[in-house]
Amino acid sequence: MPAKLEGKAVNAPPRPAKTEPVPLATLVARADAHPVSGDLDGMVTGATLRAQHVQPGDLFAALAGARVHGAQFAQDAIRAGAAAVLTDRKGADLLKDATVPVLVHDDPRGVLGSIAAWIYGEPSLRLSILGITGTSGKTTTTYMLEAGLRAAGHTTGLVGTVETRIAGQRLASAFTTPEAPDLQALFAVMVEQGVTHVPMEVSSHALSLGRVSGTRFSVGAFTNLSQDHLDFHRDMEDYFLAKAMLFDGRSTREVVNTDGQWGARLVKTDTITVSTEHGADWTATDIKSSVDGEQTFTVHGPHTSFPVRLPMPGTFNVANALLAAACLTAVGIEPEAIAQGLSGVQVPGRMERIALGQQFTAVVDYSHKPAAVALALDAIRAKTSGRVIVVLGCGGDRDAAKRPLMGKEAASRADLLIVTDDNPRSEDPAKIRKAMVDGALAVEPRGEVLDIGNRREAIAAAVAEARPGDAVVIAGKGHETGQEIAGVVHPFSDRDELTAAIREVSL
């Protein structure tokens, strides 16, 4: 059962104010679909795969789901005004009495993105879309891209985990990448609003499930790859191959961080390479960091070098900045604007400091993968004179194999690790925590390990333990404003809870 949002209605995704009607017969021909009922004289003005979001004139995509087939909701869609239904053969068998044309395709999900793009006027061809894929760093890099583009005077959109923005207007994000018809409609809205450039996170799910089919990228970029989403992908190779789809010809320019073995496999003759470890098209020298986490370094690219001040700690953020610089240069942004943008970039929930005058460092970070936890804590440890206190949990109904690894990476770097609940979803929270604690206790040497299930209490306990010179890191949820427990999303913000806990001990 899908989670219920307490006190919030799930709104329909944005649509353009005007769409030129597309003849149904044209869509059938271009998609190589087979009509099994109804005539093709009608017109289509929109597309969706959710019956509750159907508007008159829509093409309703009735897709096979994990539990039910979308064809079971087709009658609701037709009553709402759907002009036609796209489905597979199983769906067509369920729709023999449909009163609108039914179109059959062997892979309706695979062609839905292209169909939606045609319906909405192929908006990605009128935008410069910069797609970022990889395990870690996608969100940070998209914010860096947006900052550089805005510094250059462009009107931007943004699509990602934290939020979607259209010319500065914020929309909440339900997924890293929206479903294919929602994404194409979103791009069409951006075109209407005068957007010129769109930094965008591109998840492995989006690539595997065709959510970005029909999207043309001006730039496709790769950050890194480490263990994650193995509940969805068979293994790391399958995970990598999903990411590699962004580099199958749909991106005009390709930019790759080659610091790891996975990135090196993506390099072609004309690939733009980035590295903080070895020779590449884009590198950094003279990296220096201050006690407050700010870094300065010199960026070196083809025919250019320029200084950068970055208000974010960690060598991994230098790598993200290099990737952003390479991508921005590929779409014509000058070094001055890149440096200006990077100097003021702010990323919600990514190594985000909570500074209220307390004598210890307090950080909220979204790191929720073993490698990301290790990188974040290494960056904190390098600038901490006292103890490192970490609060960390793992989500339920997700890759269970990474739980002991998360505990191991955190315990080997923390003086005090408090294992707590993240988003347990439908699982028993205690079992999730036990897997993490088992991994933590297997580490030698290690710091103290505590199990405090209530996340609010865990954060308060961490702050209560902090002394001058210490660092408190609340990891795993970052920007999120809810905690999903047993199918209900309860309001919860690590930033708000950490702020409240610091104020409590400061009274």
Side-chain angles (χ1 to χ4, degrees):
M1 179 180 295
K4 298 177 182 177
L5 292 173
E6 287 190 338
K8 295 183 180 180
V10 180
N11 297 323
R15 297 272 192 112
K18 183 179 180 181
T19 302
E20 292 296 327
V22 178
L24 184 56
T26 300
L27 291 181
V28 170
R30 294 188 68 173
D32 193 26
H34 308 287
V36 295
S37 68
D39 62 59
L40 303 181
D41 294 335
M43 308 291 280
V44 176
T45 55
T48 183
L49 50 67
R50 296 184 178 90
Q52 67 269 34
H53 293 162
V54 167
Q55 296 183 17
D58 275 358
L59 173 72
F60 174 64
L63 307 181
R67 298 181 180 87
V68 297
H69 199 289
Q72 296 184 22
F73 305 103
Q75 292 303 330
D76 292 333
I78 293 168
R79 281 190 289 270
V85 177
L86 172 71
T87 190
D88 55 18
R89 297 186 184 281
K90 182 177 180 180
D93 290 340
L94 297 172
L95 293 172
K96 291 179 179 177
D97 297 326
T99 56
V100 299
V102 175
L103 317 177
V104 173
H105 195 284
D106 290 338
D107 182 18
R109 184 179 289 277
V111 299
L112 180 56
S114 295
I115 290 174
W118 297 331
I119 291 171
Y120 292 114
E122 300 196 77
S124 69
L125 299 182
R126 292 179 282 168
L127 298 165
S128 182
I129 300 176
L130 299 85
I132 311 297
T133 197
T135 303
S136 299
K138 296 189 297 298
T139 298
T140 297
T141 304
T142 56
Y143 275 83
M144 290 176 171
L145 290 172
E146 187 194 40
L149 290 164
R150 290 172 66 88
H154 292 290
T155 302
T156 60
L158 183 141
V159 181
T161 306
V162 177
E163 61 185 345
T164 294
R165 284 210 293 259
I166 306 172
Q169 182 179 359
R170 184 183 188 277
L171 307 172
S173 287
F175 301 98
T176 300
T177 313
E179 293 285 3
D182 299 339
L183 181 63
Q184 297 303 322
L186 177 65
F187 287 153
V189 172
M190 289 182 177
V191 171
E192 285 185 340
Q193 296 295 318
V195 168
T196 58
H197 294 72
V198 185
M200 174 183 177
E201 296 182 50
V202 185
S203 67
S204 60
H205 291 69
L207 289 157
S208 299
L209 298 174
R211 291 178 187 162
V212 291
S213 296
T215 300
R216 183 68 195 174
F217 294 90
S218 297
V219 177
F222 176 84
T223 58
N224 50 62
L225 198 79
S226 62
Q227 182 173 331
D228 198 21
H229 300 307
L230 295 189
D231 54 325
F232 180 80
H233 299 287
R234 292 189 304 273
D235 50 32
M236 286 297 292
E237 180 68 15
D238 184 57
Y239 182 32
F240 168 74
L241 292 176
K243 297 288 191 184
M245 292 172 69
L246 185 59
F247 308 94
D248 63 5
R250 70 186 77 198
S251 300
T252 302
R253 303 298 302 274
E254 298 178 358
V255 183
V256 173
N257 183 323
T258 58
D259 284 342
Q261 59 171 329
W262 301 105
R265 289 176 57 181
L266 294 172
V267 175
K268 306 168 191 171
T269 304
D270 56 353
T271 301
I272 301 167
T273 57
V274 168
S275 176
T276 60
E277 298 177 357
H278 51 72
D281 296 323
W282 290 83
T283 59
T285 61
D286 306 317
I287 302 173
K288 298 182 174 116
S289 57
S290 63
V291 293
D292 64 358
E294 181 177 281
Q295 301 185 91
T296 59
F297 51 93
T298 301
V299 171
H300 302 279
H303 314 298
T304 188
S305 293
F306 54 94
V308 164
R309 178 177 64 83
L310 185 68
M312 304 177 73
T315 303
F316 58 94
N317 277 321
V318 175
N320 292 333
L322 281 174
L323 195 72
C327 292
L328 289 167
T329 301
V331 294
I333 307 303
E334 296 296 328
E336 293 78 11
I338 296 172
Q340 180 184 341
L342 291 174
S343 69
V345 68
Q346 295 182 331
V347 187
R350 270 64 176 178
M351 299 297 277
E352 183 178 356
R353 289 176 178 260
I354 306 297
L356 302 175
Q358 77 275 11
Q359 293 184 295
F360 57 90
T361 298
V363 174
V364 171
D365 190 61
Y366 189 55
S367 49
H368 57 284
K369 293 151 288 216
V373 168
L375 287 169
L377 296 185
D378 284 344
I380 294 293
R381 171 65 72 184
K383 293 300 173 184
T384 301
S385 59
R387 299 174 301 159
V388 174
I389 302 169
V390 179
V391 175
L392 180 66
C394 281
D397 301 335
R398 298 294 188 268
D399 182 6
K402 73 179 183 182
R403 294 168 187 171
L405 300 178
M406 295 270 283
K408 172 185 174 184
E409 298 293 358
S412 65
R413 291 165 170 83
D415 297 285
L416 169 60
L417 168 62
I418 301 177
V419 175
T420 190
D421 294 342
D422 189 287
N423 293 309
R425 299 184 176 89
S426 70
E427 288 195 63
D428 179 353
K431 290 184 178 179
I432 299 173
R433 298 197 308 275
K434 183 179 185 305
M436 291 186 66
V437 170
D438 288 347
L441 295 181
V443 173
E444 291 292 349
R446 67 170 184 274
E448 183 181 3
V449 178
L450 299 178
D451 181 341
I452 302 177
N454 184 291
R455 194 171 182 92
R456 179 174 289 112
E457 294 176 5
I459 292 171
V463 170
E465 282 289 327
R467 302 291 179 264
D470 289 352
V472 173
V473 183
I474 314 300
K477 289 177 63 61
H479 64 281
E480 294 178 2
T481 57
Q483 184 178 30
E484 185 176 341
I485 303 171
V488 177
V489 179
H490 303 269
F492 194 96
S493 164
D494 279 357
R495 291 179 285 182
D496 291 349
E497 294 299 333
L498 181 54
T499 297
I502 293 171
R503 286 176 174 159
E504 179 69 23
V505 300
S506 300
L507 292 177

